[in-house]
Amino acid sequence: GAVVSQHPSWVICKSGTSVKIECRSLDFQATTMFWYRQFPKQSLMLMATSNEGSKATYEQGVEKDKFLINHASLTLSTLTVTSAHPEDSSFYICSVGQTNTEAFFGQGTRLTVV
Amino acid sequence: RKEVEQDPGPFNVPEGATVAFNCTYSNSASQSFFWYRQDCRKEPKLLMSVYSSGNEDGRFTAQLNRASQYISLLIRDSKLSDSATYLCVVYSGGGADGLTFGKGTHLIIQP
C-alpha cells in the first residue's frame, strides 16, 4: 500500500497565528489527496479534496479562505489553517489512494490552539 | 443523507472472550464496506474489507447484510492488543464523497 507521511504530528499555536500541515505520498503519485478533521469521539469528516495543479474542492461548511490547500506536486499537499482559533483545535489527517478499495492515511496532526 | 451508525461503547470485554459489533448504513446504494482500526491519537488503519459472502481473517470475521443494511465484526479469543476504536466505513461511489465514516466503537479488553 501507499506510504503517507504527515508533518508535524502535533502543534500548539497561539490564537490568530497560522499553521501549515504537510502531507507527503512517499511511494505513490497522488493526483488527489484528501483532508479530514476529527473532533474527540467523533467520526472523520472530509474537509476538502486536494487536486494536483488545480484548486481544491471544499466540502459544504468548510471555509476555503481559512483552510488553504496547496497541491503543487504529485507527492505533496499542504493544509494551512489561517488565523487559528481555539475551536480549530482538532486532529487533522490526510489520505491518498482513496477509492473503493482502501484509503491510506497520514499519521495525523493534533492541533491545539491556545 | 449518508449515515453510518455505530454503538460508541465502550465495550469492556475480558481477555479471551468473543465480542461482536454492528454498524448500520442508510444509503442502500453503498458499494463497498470496511472495518478500520484506530488507536488513540493515531491514524485509522484498514482492518479488513467486508464482502457480501462474509470473510474471515484469523480471529476476525466480517459479515454484510445488504437487505438489512448492516455489517458486523466478530473478534474471537480477544487479546489485550485488540483494545482500540473500530471504525465502520462505507463507500458509496463518487471518489472522496463516497467514503463515510462511523464514529467508531471503543473496545477495551481487560486482563
Side-chain angles (χ1 to χ4, degrees):
Chain A
V3 178
V4 182
S5 177
Q6 188 173 339
H7 177 81
S9 56
W10 62 270
V11 59
I12 300 174
C13 70
K14 290 184 178 180
S15 186
T17 61
S18 295
V19 174
K20 179 185 283 187
I21 303 169
E22 292 187 350
C23 179
R24 293 183 183 274
S25 176
L26 300 183
D27 60 352
F28 179 85
Q29 292 191 321
T31 55
T32 306
M33 295 186 182
F34 306 92
W35 287 97
Y36 290 86
R37 180 168 52 184
Q38 185 179 32
F39 291 106
K41 299 186 180 181
Q42 299 295 314
S43 60
L44 274 72
M45 296 300 296
L46 181 65
M47 297 176 65
T49 302
S50 172
N51 304 299
E52 188 266 335
S54 64
K55 292 182 179 180
T57 305
Y58 290 82
E59 295 300 299
Q60 190 173 10
V62 179
E63 299 174 58
K64 63 180 181 180
D65 294 329
K66 180 170 182 62
F67 299 99
L68 301 179
I69 291 174
N70 184 280
H71 192 156
S73 76
L74 289 171
T75 59
L76 174 65
S77 174
T78 61
L79 169 67
T80 301
V81 183
T82 62
S83 187
H85 290 284
E87 57 264 32
D88 298 324
S89 298
S90 187
F91 187 58
Y92 293 85
I93 191 164
C94 65
S95 77
V96 303
Q98 187 165 294
T99 62
N100 61 339
T101 55
E102 181 176 357
F104 299 94
F105 292 91
Q107 299 92 330
T109 298
R110 188 159 300 280
L111 171 64
T112 301
V113 184
V114 297
Chain B
R1 181 180 175 187
K2 295 179 288 187
E3 288 184 349
V4 175
E5 301 287 342
Q6 293 181 254
D7 182 342
F11 284 47
N12 290 283
V13 175
E15 189 177 8
T18 296
V19 60
F21 7 94
N22 289 340
C23 161
T24 60
Y25 60 94
S26 61
N27 186 350
S28 59
S30 297
Q31 300 175 15
S32 306
F33 309 87
F34 311 90
W35 283 104
Y36 275 73
R37 171 190 169 132
Q38 186 175 25
D39 292 292
C40 187
R41 297 175 183 265
K42 300 286 187 181
E43 76 277 20
K45 293 185 178 179
L46 181 66
L47 178 65
M48 58 197 304
S49 301
V50 187
Y51 303 119
S52 297
S53 56
N55 49 300
E56 186 175 312
D57 183 3
R59 298 181 293 109
F60 299 85
T61 301
Q63 291 196 314
L64 166 65
N65 185 317
R66 284 192 183 273
S68 301
Q69 295 184 200
Y70 77 83
I71 67 173
S72 64
L73 177 67
L74 180 79
I75 305 175
R76 290 181 299 277
D77 187 24
S78 54
K79 312 290 184 189
L80 294 176
S81 56
D82 293 334
S83 298
T85 296
Y86 291 83
L87 303 175
C88 175
V89 183
V90 176
Y91 178 75
S92 301
D97 286 344
L99 263 191
T100 305
F101 290 81
K103 292 183 180 181
T105 297
H106 190 197
L107 174 65
I108 301 171
I109 305 299
Q110 298 174 328

